[in-house]
Amino acid sequence: MRSLTQAQARRIALAAQGFLDPPHAPPTMRTLARTLDRTGVIQVDSVNVLQRAHFMPLYSRMGAYDVELVRRASERAPRRMVEYWAHVQAFMPVDLWPVMRHRMASYRTQRHKWWGTVVTEELTASLLAEIADRGASTARDLDDGLPRSKEHWGWNWSATRRALDYLFVTGDVAIAGRNSQFEIRYDLPERVIPAVHFDAPTPSLEDARRELVLRAARSHGVATGRCLADYYRMRLQPGADGTMAAQDSIDELVAEGELEPVMIQGWRRQAYLHRDARVPRRIGARALLSPFDPVVWERERAEHLFDFHYRIEIYTPPEKRVHGYYVLPFLLGDQIVGRIDLKADRQTGRLLAKAAHAEPCAPPEVAAELAAELGRLAGWLGLERVVVEPAGDLAPALTAAVAAAGL
C-alpha cells in the first residue's frame, strides 16, 4: 500500500481546496465557479464580527473580490449555487439539488421528532399557499401577513420559523436569497432552482450516496473514511434511521480505481487518495482561514494535517478564552503558522487584531507576512487602518510589522 508523509498529505489537501489555482485579477464569476467546484460546499453562518462566514473561504482562495458575485451566483438566474443543509447550512452547487432529495425525504419522515406537533400540515399548507401568492418572503413577512388565530395552530413567530425550517429541509421551499438583515427569503423551489436541475430525475439512493462521497474525495484530495462521510454529513456506517452511509460507496470507488487506499504518516485510520489529486512539491499560499473554512472545520483532520489544535471560542466565556473570540488560522505556504483574533470596527474604519499568537512552526517572517495579509484584508473590507492590540506572543512583532508597512 502506498504511503504518504504528513507534508505530502497536507499539500494534497490544500491543492484540492484550490490553493494551487492561479490568481485571476480581478476575480470573476468564472473564478468563483472554479472555487466552488474545489470546495464543494461553503458554510453559511450569521456571525459578522469580521465578515459573513460564507464570504471568507472565497476570499482566502480568490483574494479581494466583489461580494456581489456571491449574490449573483445564488440569487439571480442562472443560479450557480443554492443554500441547503449540505454540510450544515451551506451553499452548494445547484446541480446537487436532485442528489439531496433522499435527504429531503428522510427529513419528511422525521417531522415530529425534530419539529414537534406545532408544525402541522395545516400550518405548512398555509405557508406554502402564502408564499405561492406573494413570492419570496421572510419569516417575519409571513408572520405579519397570515392569520394569528391561536385556537387553530398556536400561530406565532416561533411556529412560523420552525415550519419554514421544516419546509426548507424537506425541499418544499428553497432559499431565494437573504435581505440586508441576513433574514432568509423563502420561495417555491421551482422558482429558485433552474428547471434543468429541478426537473432532473432523482438518482437512486446508491447513486446519490456515491456522488456525495466522490465530491467529498475531490474536495479533500486525501482523507479518511470518516472525513469523507462528514463532508456532506453522512454516516460512515449505516444507522437505524436509514440515512445515507458512506463506507459502501468508498469501497465501490476503491474497486473502480477512483480512490486509492493509502497510509499517512502519523494517522491511525485508513486514508483514501482521489485518483486525480495533485501531489505538489510546494504550496505558496498566504491566507487567513475562517473558522468555518473546509480546511479546518473538521478539527481532528486539521490537527492531523497541520499539528494544529483548534477550537472556536465564540461560545466560551471571555475569561476562559485562550486565543480570542473570532480566531482565524493563518496559512503560510503549506503550514498554519499562527492564529489571530480579528474584528472589523466599521464605525471607526479599523481592522482590530485583538490577539495574535504564533505556532511552533512559525518562520521568522511570520509577522511581516501576516501584516501584509491584514493590509490586504482591510482593503477588501473597506477599512482604513490595522490596529494590533497587545495580546498574544506574536503581537509585539506584528505591531512593528504593521507600522513598518504603513498600515
Side-chain angles (χ1 to χ4, degrees):
M1 184 180 296
R2 186 175 177 184
S3 181
L4 300 172
T5 66
Q6 182 192 41
Q8 286 175 319
R10 187 165 59 237
R11 293 194 291 269
I12 290 166
L14 289 170
Q17 280 288 315
F19 287 98
L20 262 188
D21 288 353
H24 190 167
T28 64
M29 186 61 75
R30 180 178 295 180
T31 321
L32 186 150
R34 181 184 68 188
T35 305
L36 179 64
D37 182 62
R38 298 275 190 251
T39 63
V41 283
I42 299 174
Q43 185 170 336
V44 175
D45 191 87
S46 62
V47 176
N48 197 28
V49 65
L50 179 68
Q51 175 60 293
R52 297 287 188 197
H54 52 285
F55 291 130
M56 282 301 299
L58 296 169
Y59 169 79
S60 299
R61 292 153 178 78
M62 293 163 46
Y65 71 99
D66 183 355
V67 296
E68 185 62 24
L69 288 174
V70 175
R71 297 188 181 95
R72 283 173 50 200
S74 61
E75 298 184 18
R76 300 179 192 171
R79 280 184 170 86
R80 293 166 170 84
M81 59 188 192
V82 66
E83 285 188 54
Y84 187 63
W85 203 257
H87 175 72
V88 288
Q89 185 89 7
F91 282 116
M92 67 179 188
V94 73
D95 66 346
L96 273 181
W97 186 264
V99 177
M100 289 295 177
R101 288 193 186 122
H102 295 284
R103 183 166 299 180
M104 296 170 185
S106 175
Y107 279 122
R108 194 180 302 280
T109 66
Q110 301 177 63
R111 185 180 74 191
H112 293 305
K113 176 181 179 181
W114 297 111
W115 290 273
T117 57
V118 70
V119 179
T120 64
E121 291 185 8
E122 186 177 10
L123 172 56
T124 55
S126 295
L127 280 168
L128 287 172
E130 186 72 6
I131 292 169
D133 181 60
R134 68 190 295 165
S137 307
T138 67
R140 190 181 304 276
D141 294 333
L142 295 164
D143 190 49
D144 290 343
L146 286 178
R148 292 172 176 268
S149 175
K150 299 282 185 180
E151 65 268 23
H152 295 299
W153 328 302
W155 189 278
N156 54 44
W157 169 261
S158 176
T160 305
R161 183 55 191 267
R162 290 174 71 181
L164 288 167
D165 284 344
Y166 168 76
L167 291 170
F168 163 65
V169 297
T170 59
D172 291 322
V173 299
I175 294 179
R178 290 176 181 262
N179 64 18
S180 58
Q181 286 77 46
F182 205 60
E183 293 175 306
I184 292 171
R185 297 168 54 246
Y186 299 92
D187 206 346
L188 301 181
E190 59 265 34
R191 299 200 292 228
V192 173
I193 308 301
V196 65
H197 304 303
F198 183 79
D199 295 334
T202 301
S204 68
L205 178 62
E206 292 74 17
D207 285 347
R209 182 186 63 201
R210 182 185 187 280
E211 180 65 20
L212 293 178
V213 171
L214 186 57
R215 292 197 187 208
R218 288 172 180 157
S219 293
H220 270 318
V222 65
T224 65
R226 180 175 171 179
C227 292
L228 293 175
D230 178 72
Y231 208 75
Y232 287 100
R233 284 294 197 260
M234 294 183 288
R235 293 178 181 273
L236 183 58
Q237 302 293 345
D241 58 2
T243 53
M244 289 190 288
Q247 189 62 59
D248 286 345
S249 294
I250 293 171
D251 294 341
E252 291 167 8
L253 291 167
V254 168
E256 295 168 12
E258 291 280 353
L259 299 180
E260 176 189 353
V262 294
M263 297 303 298
I264 301 174
Q265 170 193 342
W267 293 28
R268 295 189 303 273
R269 295 189 180 95
Q270 173 74 66
Y272 303 90
L273 178 71
H274 189 268
R275 70 174 184 182
D276 296 331
R278 291 173 290 182
V279 190
R281 294 184 178 180
R282 180 180 178 275
I283 297 283
R286 191 189 73 192
L288 288 161
L289 304 176
S290 159
F292 307 104
D293 193 289
V295 171
V296 293
W297 71 27
E298 215 295 313
R299 309 308 191 202
E300 181 180 281
R301 176 176 168 84
E303 194 157 356
H304 286 159
L305 284 173
F306 300 99
D307 294 323
F308 182 69
H309 182 79
Y310 184 44
R311 299 293 183 270
I312 190 168
E313 298 180 280
I314 289 175
Y315 305 109
T316 303
E319 66 277 7
K320 294 184 178 180
R321 290 176 191 146
V322 177
H323 296 106
Y325 177 78
Y326 197 73
V327 176
L328 284 76
F330 180 44
L331 175 69
L332 188 63
D334 67 355
Q335 295 269 23
I336 293 177
V337 299
R339 60 186 92 197
I340 185 164
D341 183 16
L342 290 177
K343 177 180 180 179
D345 188 343
R346 296 173 180 88
Q347 289 188 335
T348 64
R350 299 180 302 165
L351 177 60
L352 304 179
K354 308 288 288 183
H357 295 83
E359 293 300 301
C361 63
E365 66 272 17
V366 61
E369 294 285 358
L370 180 53
E373 187 56 34
L374 291 177
R376 185 174 74 139
L377 176 62
W380 179 56
L381 295 175
L383 303 173
E384 298 172 358
R385 294 179 55 208
V386 176
V387 176
V388 182
E389 298 183 5
D393 60 350
L394 187 55
L398 183 59
T399 300
V402 165
L407 301 173

